[in-house]
Amino acid sequence: FAKGDPAKGKSLSATCSACHGADGNSSNPEWPKLAGQGEGYLAKQLNDYRSGARVNAVMSAQAGLIASDEDVEHLAAYFASQKTTAGAGDKDKVEEGRLIYKGGKVSAKITACAACHGPTGVGNDAAKFPRLAGQHTTYLLAQLKAFRSGERANDAGKMMRNIASKMSDTDMDAIVEYVSGL
Ligand code: HEM
Ligand code: HEM
């Protein structure tokens, strides 16, 4: 996937940078890092905000201001081309997080996250599976809870809603610590 022009995306990114950081590494942990995220995944999220498939007060408004489908591709290409900074999580802190990420949790019927998000958390953009490595723990936890409550419902085939519905708060706390530290 490489549709957009990163240079054009950079020239469009000034308003985004206020929250997501000039290089896509946000400082506020409630705002996701976009740096190093898959281009196809980023474009899908922007289009989901534009169509209303994903709803967030701030981002629905922001995405609505993007002038064209081409500009979506350029913005996605720019942030995808940036390098993710290290996350705040500690992958060695919570063993339970590593176990669930790598092997799932059979007793709760949670499948391994690594199957889709990759053994090192970098995702698989051909399938639009997002990168999780280095992402803010606060943002990751908010998304898992939003999938669990159904507030976020833009995952094709309910892949994430099904998994999150089987996770306890303790499972989520452990996993986000692990993946943010990858
Ligand atoms: C989420 C892009 C402007 C705050 C996102 C996501 C993308 C994105 C792709 C989803 C990330 C993911 O799923 O991992 C952009 C672009 C912008 C822009 C291209 C400029 C055109 C802003 C601004 C703010 C902001 C100005 C703050 C005022 C947020 C927040 C979320 C988010 C809070 C999480 C929303 C949620 O939970 O659904 N943004 N953003 N963004 N962005 Fe932006
Ligand atoms: C999205 C975590 C397992 C497929 C996400 C997001 C998180 C996450 C935090 C949102 C990322 C963001 O907003 O930037 C996890 C965890 C898992 C897990 C902790 C294990 C417990 C899986 C599995 C699959 C999968 C097994 C595939 C069958 C996806 C997809 C999305 C996603 C397709 C993007 C949905 C969309 O388009 O909005 N995951 N995931 N995940 N995950 Fe997972």
Side-chain angles (χ1 to χ4, degrees):
F1 191 99
K3 282 183 172 171
D5 175 345
K8 284 186 186 157
K10 185 176 186 183
S11 72
L12 295 165
S13 69
T15 48
C16 322
S17 300
C19 295
H20 294 285
D23 65 349
N25 287 294
S26 49
S27 47
N28 182 326
E30 291 178 14
W31 301 334
K33 294 182 187 179
L34 307 178
Q37 185 56 276
E39 182 174 346
Y41 172 78
L42 289 173
K44 177 186 183 286
Q45 299 309 308
L46 290 171
N47 285 323
D48 284 353
Y49 288 124
R50 292 166 93 213
S51 72
R54 181 172 175 182
V55 179
N56 172 264
V58 171
M59 273 312 298
S60 301
Q62 288 294 322
L65 298 172
I66 301 174
S68 66
D69 294 352
E70 288 71 28
D71 286 358
V72 167
E73 304 295 343
H74 297 324
L75 283 161
Y78 171 63
F79 287 113
S81 73
Q82 301 299 299
K83 199 176 179 325
T84 327
T85 54
D90 181 347
K91 71 176 167 60
D92 297 321
K93 195 169 133 191
V94 192
E95 173 66 1
E96 184 65 9
R98 186 184 70 78
L99 290 174
I100 299 173
Y101 188 83
K102 298 270 187 182
K105 189 170 175 179
V106 177
S107 61
K109 296 197 168 69
I110 300 171
T111 44
C113 320
C116 295
H117 294 282
T120 58
V122 297
N124 170 8
D125 201 44
K128 297 194 177 72
F129 297 152
R131 175 191 184 99
L132 304 177
Q135 187 57 272
H136 295 298
T137 53
T138 307
Y139 172 76
L140 291 170
L141 193 59
Q143 296 309 307
L144 288 174
K145 290 188 171 167
F147 282 125
R148 185 170 63 186
S149 71
E151 183 194 333
R152 178 169 171 182
N154 67 325
D155 51 332
K158 295 197 178 184
M159 276 186 270
M160 282 307 302
R161 275 172 287 172
N162 285 336
I163 291 168
S165 71
K166 295 169 189 151
M167 294 173 69
S168 66
D169 286 357
T170 314
D171 295 332
M172 290 184 179
D173 285 339
I175 285 182
V176 300
E177 193 73 36
Y178 177 75
V179 287
S180 177
L182 283 174

